[in-house]
């Protein structure tokens, strides 16, 4: 197989199949001509793969799915209209019939809130562990209805790490998949499937796309997990909707034993719920992925420089990132993240809310908004924005202190970013520029 940097540019696309276009064309169409009655039967039976209706498949979107699957070494992928759609589809699909997912509290705010208050409305329950760094806490929450363990490979916002292989072993011993949100790391820094994960989720809105111009998500399946009929009967349930060309009802397992989740999502969730990714957004995501290595490499190095600066700043109470001097994750970072542990970090601002407001207003080279993984450096007061939906107890459980400020390092000069922070600190605390 080709190296990562070749795959990010060339995987999943053949110009000879697209009128020799160098760039992946944007197939901006609702539906596709079927050609003949016979071909239509073959398309519906999945004996021939091609465009039918863009809600369930589109060549531009397929190129994105195939490229990201190649980067992760996945069996396949399904692209969706957002990262939250990807999370929701996976949780709902795995827990059909009333199952539960075991997860830590330290998650992206939308994930944390939906896990706490939303999915239970549909009979899909989330069991939060008491100690997210203790493998025995996960073990204690697993019961006969558990259908997966869910984690973020690098947590948002505090960049926490986990022992992924230990969690994968625990999951597999209990016949359930390890599901990881690899949004912050991207496949450049971490390949979940190489360390035992079974399902990977991305918000391509973030580092994969990288330019702050799309909303997109992906679900990837390793192709190695054995879904038992006892725990996952939905993948064995035969449906006339996914019949073969002779009209025999089939199940997702019948169609693809290695990727039944993806078949299930495409045949039922995309078909009936929607949340399809548009071709133009898929095209933009492909443009971002072409520069993934260079972007994530520089952003990670810049984050490390910002960590070092903030650790020496007297107006900063603490700094959280695996590269920080007092980080508890140094050993895990060395084991799992030899290229570095990502471009987001948090620090404790030693001032009032009014001073923090003044500090943010004073910055010139940081944008104040809630995205991450952008080419622009971003700053935000997480408890009041990205995690504002969480009450004080949830914030405490997630390790998010009231004075938390999150930075997502971009592609600007690290020296300029440090100088910008320095002048803002001096202006707020010393009233001089």
């Amino acid at each position: 197989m080709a190296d990562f940097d070749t795959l990010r540019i060339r995987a999943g696309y053949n110009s000879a199949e697209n009128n020799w276009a160098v760039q992946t064309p944007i197939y901006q169409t609702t539906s596709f001509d079927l050609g003949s009655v016979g071909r239509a039967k073959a398309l519906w039976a999945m004996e021939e793969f091609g465009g039918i209706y863009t809600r369930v498949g589109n060549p531009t979107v397929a190129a994105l799915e195939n490229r990201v699957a190649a980067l992760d070494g996945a069996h396949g992928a399904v692209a969706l209209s957002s990262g939250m759609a990807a999370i929701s589809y996976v949780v709902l699909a795995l827990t059909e019939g009333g199952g539960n997912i075991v997860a830590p509290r330290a998650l992206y705010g939308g994930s944390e809130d939906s896990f706490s208050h939303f999915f239970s409305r549909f009979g899909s329950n989330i069991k939060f562990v008491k100690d997210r760094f203790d493998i025995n806490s996960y073990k204690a929450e697993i019961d006969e209805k558990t259908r997966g363990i869910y984690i973020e490979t690098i947590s948002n916002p505090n960049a926490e790490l986990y022992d992924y292989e230990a969690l994968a072993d625990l999951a597999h011993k209990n016949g359930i998949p390890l599901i990881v949100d690899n949004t912050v790391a991207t496949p450049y820094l971490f390949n979940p499937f190489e360390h035992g994960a079974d399902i990977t989720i991305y918000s391509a809105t973030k580092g994969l796309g990288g330019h702050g111009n799309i909303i997109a998500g992906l679900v990837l399946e390793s192709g190695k997990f054995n879904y038992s009929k006892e725990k996952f009967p939905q993948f064995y349930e035969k449906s006339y909707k996914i019949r073969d060309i002779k009209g025999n009802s089939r199940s997702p397992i019948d169609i693809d034993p290695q990727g039944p989740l993806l078949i299930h999502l495409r045949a039922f969730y995309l078909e009936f719920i929607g949340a399809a990714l548009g071709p133009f957004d898929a095209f933009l995501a492909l443009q971002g992925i072409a520069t993934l290595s260079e972007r994530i490499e520089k952003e990670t190095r810049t984050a490390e420089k910002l960590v070092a600066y903030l650790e020496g700043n007297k107006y900063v109470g603490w700094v959280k990132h695996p590269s920080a001097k007092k980080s508890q994750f140094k050993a895990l970072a060395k084991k799992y993240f030899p290229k570095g542990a990502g471009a987001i970090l948090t620090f404790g601002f030693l001032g009032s809310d009014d001073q923090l407001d003044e500090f943010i207003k004073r910055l010139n080279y940081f944008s104040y908004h809630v995205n991450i993984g952008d080419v622009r450096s971003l700053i935000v007061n997480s408890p009041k924005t990205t995690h504002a939906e969480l009450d004080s107890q949830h914030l405490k459980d997630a390790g998010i202190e009231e004075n938390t400020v999150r930075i997502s390092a971009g592609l600007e000069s690290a020296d300029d970013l440090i100088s910008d922070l320095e002048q803002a600190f001096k202006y707020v605390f010393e009233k001089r520029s």
Side-chain angles (χ1 to χ4, degrees):
M1 179 180 288
D3 289 341
F4 185 93
D5 282 342
T6 301
L7 294 173
R8 68 184 163 107
I9 294 170
R10 297 189 174 276
Y13 178 71
N14 184 348
S15 64
E17 298 173 356
N18 293 273
N19 294 309
W20 301 100
V22 174
Q23 285 281 9
T24 307
I26 303 169
Y27 285 88
Q28 194 67 43
T29 182
T30 301
S31 59
F32 300 82
D33 284 328
L34 302 175
S36 69
V37 173
R39 182 172 182 271
K41 288 182 178 179
L43 288 168
W44 256 265
M46 299 185 190
E47 289 194 359
E48 179 178 337
F49 291 93
I52 298 175
Y53 198 75
T54 284
R55 186 173 77 247
V56 293
N58 176 285
T60 314
V61 177
L64 172 63
E65 292 169 342
N66 293 336
R67 188 158 300 175
V68 178
L71 293 179
D72 271 309
H75 175 67
V78 169
L80 301 167
S81 61
S82 70
M84 279 308 304
I87 293 168
S88 298
Y89 275 23
V90 169
V91 170
L92 293 173
L94 291 179
T95 60
E96 286 181 16
N100 66 67
I101 301 290
V102 173
R105 278 286 186 194
L107 300 170
Y108 160 64
S111 301
E112 163 72 22
D113 195 30
S114 64
F115 281 19
S116 296
H117 304 115
F118 183 69
F119 289 123
S120 59
R121 301 179 185 182
F122 305 94
S124 301
N125 297 302
I126 309 298
K127 300 179 72 176
F128 291 103
V129 301
K130 293 181 179 180
D131 182 351
R132 58 187 175 274
F133 306 120
D134 180 6
I135 195 72
N136 290 317
S137 287
Y138 293 84
K139 184 177 181 180
E141 297 299 333
I142 295 173
D143 59 29
E144 71 278 0
K145 290 188 176 181
T146 302
R147 299 295 180 261
I149 296 174
Y150 179 101
I151 59 167
E152 293 175 353
T153 53
I154 300 177
S155 76
N156 180 2
N158 286 330
E160 296 175 351
L161 308 182
Y162 302 93
D163 191 338
Y164 315 103
E165 292 177 0
L167 286 169
D169 287 343
L170 176 64
H172 298 159
K173 286 177 181 177
N174 287 275
I176 56 176
L178 176 63
I179 312 148
V180 301
D181 182 335
N182 200 39
T183 295
V184 175
T186 80
Y188 174 72
L189 293 178
F190 185 78
N191 184 324
F193 297 137
E194 291 181 353
H195 300 285
D198 304 292
I199 300 164
T200 295
I201 293 169
Y202 287 107
S203 170
T205 309
K206 312 299 193 296
L208 275 178
H211 290 78
N213 55 7
I214 59 168
I215 302 292
L218 290 125
V219 177
L220 287 72
E221 197 166 6
S222 72
K224 298 178 181 179
F225 184 74
N226 181 25
Y227 296 91
S228 70
K229 189 173 184 178
E230 179 185 14
K231 290 182 180 293
F232 302 97
Q234 62 271 40
F235 297 153
Y236 290 82
E237 184 177 345
K238 293 185 183 295
S239 170
Y240 186 69
K241 183 183 183 302
I242 51 176
R243 61 192 179 276
D244 65 19
I245 202 163
K246 295 181 180 180
N248 299 307
S249 296
R250 292 183 299 177
S251 69
I253 285 282
D254 291 333
I255 295 172
D256 187 356
Q258 292 181 279
L261 173 64
L262 298 181
I263 296 294
H264 197 67
L265 295 184
R266 195 179 298 280
F268 301 106
Y269 282 68
L270 268 177
E271 180 75 30
F272 299 138
I273 301 177
L277 181 65
F280 184 61
D281 287 337
F283 172 82
L284 291 176
L286 286 165
Q287 307 315 299
I289 291 171
T291 59
L292 181 64
S293 300
E294 290 81 7
R295 287 188 293 102
I296 301 301
E297 175 67 23
K298 182 175 181 181
E299 289 167 2
T300 300
R301 299 289 84 78
T302 295
E304 292 168 353
K305 292 176 182 178
L306 294 177
V307 166
Y309 160 73
L310 290 166
E311 286 182 313
N313 189 297
K314 62 183 178 181
Y315 304 116
V316 172
W318 48 263
V319 182
K320 294 181 181 179
H321 185 269
S323 70
K325 292 178 181 177
K326 296 182 180 180
S327 175
Q328 69 187 83
F329 306 111
K330 286 190 177 296
L332 289 172
K334 183 178 180 180
K335 178 179 180 180
Y336 291 115
F337 292 90
K339 296 178 183 176
I344 68 166
L345 61 111
T346 56
F347 69 91
F349 183 83
L350 295 180
S352 66
D353 287 345
D354 288 341
Q355 286 177 309
L356 178 56
D357 181 42
E358 192 175 19
F359 174 80
I360 291 173
K361 287 180 181 178
R362 186 70 181 178
L363 293 168
N364 298 308
Y365 301 137
F366 289 84
S367 297
Y368 178 54
H369 65 76
V370 298
N371 195 19
I372 58 174
D374 201 315
V375 294
R376 289 157 284 273
S377 290
L378 315 176
I379 194 166
V380 75
N381 48 334
S382 293
K384 302 294 193 297
T385 54
T386 60
H387 291 71
E389 59 264 70
L390 307 186
D391 60 31
S392 58
Q393 185 59 51
H394 279 180
L395 288 172
K396 181 179 179 180
D397 291 341
I400 302 173
E401 301 181 40
E402 292 183 1
N403 64 340
T404 296
V405 178
R406 185 190 72 188
I407 286 177
S408 174
L411 296 181
E412 302 92 344
S413 159
D415 290 340
D416 285 344
L417 294 173
I418 291 171
S419 295
D420 196 27
L421 292 169
E422 180 71 9
Q423 64 82 23
F425 277 119
K426 288 183 176 180
Y427 180 81
V428 170
F429 289 100
E430 303 172 21
K431 294 302 177 183
R432 61 187 179 89
S433 57

